Amino acid sequence: YLNDYVYMNVLFPDEIILGNYMLVDFVGTENDIWIPEHTVQERLQITKDKVVDKYDGASYRSGEYIDFMTMDSVQWTLITYELVNPAQQGLLLDSSDSLALIVHEATPVEIIATISYYDEMEEVTYEDTATFTITILPIELSTVREVLYGVVGEYYQTKGVIQYLYEDYYMIIKDATGLLYVEMPSDTSSYINLAVGDEVEVLGERGTFEMQDFVPIMDYAIDIQVISTGNAVNRTATAVTIDDILDIDYLCPDAYNLYVSFTGTVIFSGNIWYPSYDLREDGYINNTYDLQIWGNTYDPFNDLMDPLVGQVIKVEGYLVGFEYIYGAFDWQVKVTTHEVMIP
């Protein structure tokens, strides 16, 4: 009932507290609270006042969720929102959770709230509108390394050049301090064209790979902006073996996304519905230490690997980390190139 006029059944001890406040005791139930009878226009106005009082002049930082009220359960009204300027930058306006996006200076955003009330007796919907302004504030730009060592669940803004890209799903970016695996929900990335070599600014939540608590990633990129295109991507692969991978200090956030080469026999590790492929190093006889290999496409990569089952190949790619800490070995390489090894 916040910001509503109400009637209440109370006990009245006739006492004044601190010289300013009248003391009453409420010991009732919901049946002892009720609201006055309002006209339709009064209901709409009360809800308008609530919306404007709550949001007009409010500030939110990039990465912050904005929980716009969508219903006034006391006045039985519904509220929807739209931008005064549909091309406005800085806010993802959604019917459930809205998000403050990347801005580089304090950015005012004008919003129109439409309040509606359905009169069941008349079978008519009445509407009114209110306009208010919020401000989106920038957050500090972090380096990739600062994100890697950041706090899980907090939002960071960073930038880097795309080294590897699986469109609409994930990318690996690089700056002078390191490499970062970035997951891209399709509703965020589908409106922007990305390519390897693009320098991008990214706003997202610090998380862990496959939510397994160890491998640091940005697991929810809510905004991506292209700064420049056509930047050089230079890769020099380090040859690794299973022993080398096992020696990696997995508690060190810098230990992941290394660009490596690995040689092994192609093993089919999936099923007819979800095919997948691993590499088995020479000398190993079962799948305990098989290395998962994945491409930046699904069906085309599987079609490429299927005829190679049983053959020895060398791949180059990004050793992104592991999914499951309690397995003996569960590391993945995101493949960029492969070469069939001639016996």
Side-chain angles (χ1 to χ4, degrees), residues 106-323:
T107 303
V109 178
E110 275 194 295
I111 299 171
I112 300 173
T114 299
I115 299 97
S116 61
Y117 174 80
Y118 179 69
D119 191 312
E120 294 182 348
M121 298 294 293
E122 299 180 12
E123 297 185 341
V124 174
T125 298
Y126 294 89
E127 291 185 348
D128 202 349
T129 61
T131 301
F132 61 90
T133 301
I134 65 172
T135 301
I136 308 301
L137 302 174
I139 61 174
E140 182 180 354
L141 187 68
S142 300
T143 65
V144 161
R145 194 169 194 271
E146 287 170 336
V147 178
L148 292 172
Y149 282 82
V151 178
V152 172
E154 294 211 357
Y155 279 83
Y156 293 86
Q157 190 169 315
T158 190
K159 66 179 180 179
V161 175
I162 299 176
Q163 308 293 300
Y164 187 89
L165 176 67
Y166 193 135
E167 289 186 2
D168 291 343
Y169 287 93
Y170 58 82
M171 61 184 172
I172 296 172
I173 66 172
K174 179 181 181 181
D175 73 357
T177 68
L179 293 109
L180 177 65
Y181 183 101
V182 180
E183 290 191 348
M184 305 182 299
S186 58
D187 60 345
T188 299
S189 56
S190 58
Y191 63 84
I192 186 170
N193 292 319
L194 298 173
V196 171
D198 287 350
E199 184 180 20
V200 292
E201 194 163 355
V202 185
L203 173 67
E205 183 180 0
R206 165 66 162 80
T208 55
F209 188 58
E210 299 296 336
M211 297 181 289
Q212 291 296 317
D213 297 336
F214 287 93
V215 181
I217 67 169
M218 182 176 281
D219 72 353
Y220 188 68
I222 62 173
D223 198 11
I224 303 168
Q225 296 184 3
V226 177
I227 302 171
S228 64
T229 61
N231 296 281
V233 174
N234 300 310
R235 305 183 179 113
T236 301
T238 300
V240 296
T241 64
I242 293 299
D243 285 343
D244 294 328
I245 297 173
L246 290 173
D247 283 341
I248 291 174
D249 181 2
Y250 66 87
L251 295 179
C252 175
D254 292 319
Y256 304 100
N257 299 308
L258 303 176
Y259 192 69
V260 302
S261 66
F262 184 88
T263 301
T265 302
V266 179
I267 304 295
F268 181 77
S269 57
N271 54 53
I272 59 173
W273 298 282
Y274 301 104
S276 58
Y277 298 86
D278 296 349
L279 287 184
R280 183 171 299 166
E281 189 177 296
D282 185 38
Y284 289 86
I285 59 174
N286 59 38
N287 64 0
T288 301
Y289 291 98
D290 287 354
L291 179 65
Q292 298 179 46
I293 53 174
W294 297 92
N296 64 347
T297 59
Y298 188 67
D299 290 333
F301 181 76
N302 292 336
D303 292 341
L304 187 66
M305 287 296 111
D306 189 63
L308 298 177
V309 171
Q311 297 190 52
V312 176
I313 68 171
K314 180 174 75 173
V315 299
E316 290 187 6
Y318 291 92
L319 188 65
V320 296
F322 49 84
E323 288 188 61

Side-chain angles (χ1 to χ4, degrees), residues 314-341:
K314 180 174 75 173
V315 299
E316 290 187 6
Y318 291 92
L319 188 65
V320 296
F322 49 84
E323 288 188 61
Y324 192 57
I325 185 63
Y326 298 106
F329 191 83
D330 199 29
W331 287 75
Q332 291 187 16
V333 165
K334 305 298 185 183
V335 175
T336 58
T337 65
H338 79 281
E339 174 189 354
V340 177
M341 306 303 290

